[in-house]
């Protein structure tokens, strides 16, 4: 039954316990210390540039205390004071003058940290709050229960930083609406896996759930339902702040000129009218690139988006533009002749994208685009980030994009909406993003990658288990050292990490036959 699928490794104990993703440098000694919920606390060290006024850390301290002790009914075992060495506090020390407590994370955020676990005090040192968040997750992953149910942590040294700066997850809230609750649960899971970008593919052909204050008809007429299936400005703010508190950027994607059927319902004349001979068919194609009104709309709309989403980047899509409707439209044919485009519709697409990029550039945002925009020769700003998604030959595409001097992120091998029987996590785990021909300078331009879960077959009922722990495999590939490739060791750690996610309330699906001490308790 198993022949054509990935081998299931032998399950055993990893010398790294249940750490995931594996830190860059970690030494775990056999010396174990007690941890007691009654005496243990997480505190700001006296030297830290952050203090009790830093809400991002204060709420993280509470969150991680609960992760470590919360689901215990009682302090099991016979644990009288003074019987064992004990860790009574974790001191968090932000070393740089600006802790970035009130900032938003960015592609240049420093996520490095050092962790020393000793008794009676463990110390977590980080230049910025972002590194402290990652270190708190690592500390919580070092805590385990002995056979009597008492909490233990071993004497440990960790120096850690991410291999790639952009470690993203794409969720699609257009093909199916995703309730805010589901998005927040997945941001929580992302933090457990040290992801730092939520790529929110918020609208598409099928529905327009983003409620625009400038163009309210877009969601009023383009959402599946104008009240129940929309993200209000308050919802969007909540998602962005929940993500910020976990060191996660929210990059919104508003894909044009294709993938825009839902936009046309609430915005007259935005889409191209399709023709059959001399008569309009009543159906519509991509955004109409020849009208001034199109660009007036885009300027107002993207000005709003640039104020709603604080991240320095907006994803502008630009993929899969179907030229059939443009070809059929007599006004567009005339415009093409006038501009000397002849019959090359890629030139028309480039004309549109060029104008859109200028509009978005004027809002002082950087932009990300899907690879077709680059492939079609559109003139791009030097700080454009190109996302490589086409699976057939992504190594060659990485080579071309980086040779042209652009930063790039890879998602082609990590389309998690493709599902199969067996341990497909291994396939995602075995990808090496830099395995393409290119100079060291080119390889430095690969700033990271993304796991994508497109929404044709997922909604609130099945999204989270389909995503985790499969997305965890991608998380370790993007965080850990390039030489962390032992699938057997990964399987041992990932099995435990998956059980930890389940204990924390994330319904992550099993990797194979077995059980968790804390089984899923339902929503």
């Amino acid at each position: 039954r198993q022949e054509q699928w990935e081998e299931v490794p032998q399950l055993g104990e990893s010398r790294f316990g249940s750490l995931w993703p594996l830190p860059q440098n970690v030494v775990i000694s056999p010396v174990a210390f007690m941890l007691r919920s009654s005496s243990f606390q997480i505190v700001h060290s006296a030297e830290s540039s952050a203090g009790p006024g830093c809400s991002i850390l204060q709420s993280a301290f509470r969150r991680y205390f609960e992760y470590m002790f919360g689901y215990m009914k009682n302090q099991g075992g016979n644990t009288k004071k003074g019987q064992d060495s004990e860790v009574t506090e974790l001191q968090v020390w932000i070393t740089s003058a600006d802790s970035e407590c009130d900032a938003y994370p960015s592609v240049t955020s420093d996520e490095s940290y050092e962790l020393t676990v000793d008794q009676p005090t463990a110390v977590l040192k980080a230049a910025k709050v972002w590194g402290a968040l990652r270190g708190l997750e690592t500390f919580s992953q070092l805590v385990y229960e002995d056979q009597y149910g008492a909490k233990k942590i071993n004497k440990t040294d960790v120096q850690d930083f991410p291999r790639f700066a952009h470690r993203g997850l794409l969720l699609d809230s257009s093909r199916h609406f995703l309730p805010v609750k589901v998005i927040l649960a997945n941001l929580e899971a992302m933090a457990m896996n040290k992801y730092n970008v939520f790529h929110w593919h918020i609208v598409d052909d099928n529905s327009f759930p983003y409620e625009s204050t400038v163009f309210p008809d877009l969601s009023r007429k383009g959402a599946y339902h104008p009240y129940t299936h929309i993200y209000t400005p308050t919802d969007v703010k909540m998602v962005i702040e929940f993500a910020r508190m976990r060191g996660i950027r929210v990059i919104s994607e508003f894909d044009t000129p294709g993938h825009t059927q839902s936009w046309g319902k609430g915005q007259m004349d935005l889409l191209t009218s399709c023709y059959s001979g001399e008569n309009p068919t009543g159906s519509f194609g991509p955004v109409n690139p020849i009208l001034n009104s199109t660009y007036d709309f885009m300027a107002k709309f993207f000005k709003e988006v640039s104020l709603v989403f604080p991240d320095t980047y907006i994803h502008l899509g630009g993929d899969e533009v179907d030229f059939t409707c443009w070809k059929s439209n007599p006004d567009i044919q005339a415009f093409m002749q006038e501009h000397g485009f002849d019959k090359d519709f890629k030139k028309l697409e480039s004309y549109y994208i060029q104008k859109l990029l200028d509009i978005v550039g004027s809002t002082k945002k950087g932009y990300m685009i899907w690879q077709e925009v680059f492939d079609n020769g559109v003139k791009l700003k030097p700080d454009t980030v190109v996302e490589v998604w086409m699976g057939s030959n992504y190594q060659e595409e990485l080579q071309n994009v980086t040779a042209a001097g652009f930063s790039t992120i890879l998602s082609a091998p990590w389309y998690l909406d493709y599902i199969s029987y067996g341990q497909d996590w291994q396939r995602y785990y075995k990808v090496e993003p830099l395995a393409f021909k290119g100079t060291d300078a080119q390889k430095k331009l690969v700033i990271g990658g993304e796991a994508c879960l497109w929404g044709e077959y997922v909604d609130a009922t099945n999204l989270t288990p389909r995503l985790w722990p499969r997305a965890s495999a991608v998380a370790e590939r993007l965080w850990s050292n390039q030489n962390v490739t032992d699938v057997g060791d990964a399987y041992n750690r990932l099995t435990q990490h998956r059980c930890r996610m389940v204990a924390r309330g994330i319904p992550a699906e099993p990797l194979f036959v077995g059980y968790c001490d804390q089984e899923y308790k339902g929503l």
Side-chain angles (χ1 to χ4, degrees), residues 468-513:
W468 307 103
R470 294 160 75 234
S472 303
V474 183
E476 178 153 293
R477 183 54 53 236
L478 295 173
W479 179 282
S480 303
N481 191 292
Q482 185 166 357
N483 62 22
V484 176
T485 53
D486 181 335
V487 171
D489 183 69
Y491 179 55
N492 295 334
R493 288 182 293 110
L494 188 54
T495 301
Q496 293 193 51
H497 177 58
R498 177 256 163 182
C499 282
R500 175 171 47 235
M501 287 197 281
V502 167
R504 291 178 181 184
I506 304 293
E509 67 182 19
L511 293 164
F512 193 54
V513 177

Side-chain angles (χ1 to χ4, degrees), residues 444-469:
K444 280 198 177 66
L445 288 168
V446 180
I447 57 171
E450 289 189 343
C452 300
L453 189 67
W454 296 97
E456 287 86 354
Y457 299 99
V458 290
D459 67 2
T461 62
N462 64 343
L463 178 139
T464 309
R466 185 164 293 188
L467 192 50
W468 307 103

Side-chain angles (χ1 to χ4, degrees), residues 105-120:
S106 76
V107 73
T108 56
S109 291
D110 184 347
E111 296 176 283
S112 63
Y113 66 92
E114 290 179 17
L115 176 62
T116 316
V117 179
D118 210 335
Q119 58 93 22

Side-chain angles (χ1 to χ4, degrees), residues 1-12:
R1 217 163 53 107
Q2 208 72 49
E3 286 67 40
Q4 65 265 53
W5 300 295
E6 297 78 6
E7 283 288 300
V8 177
Q10 224 12 76
L11 196 57

Side-chain angles (χ1 to χ4, degrees), residues 174-238:
S174 168
R175 290 176 176 90
H176 284 98
F177 179 75
L178 302 175
V180 171
K181 182 172 142 180
V182 172
I183 293 176
L184 301 185
N186 281 284
L187 287 166
E188 202 78 271
M190 285 169 70
M192 297 172 197
N193 290 272
K194 296 186 169 67
Y195 272 104
N196 69 351
V197 176
F198 169 35
H199 175 167
W200 194 353
H201 187 90
I202 189 165
V203 300
D204 205 299
D205 282 329
N206 312 89
S207 74
F208 197 107
Y210 169 77
E211 186 177 36
S212 163
T213 48
V214 183
F215 299 103
D217 275 355
L218 288 171
S219 63
R220 212 173 277 155
K221 296 179 176 165
Y224 286 132
H225 186 283
Y227 308 138
T228 55
H229 289 58
I230 58 163
Y231 302 108
T232 64
T234 313
D235 292 333
V236 173
K237 268 200 179 67
M238 190 200 302

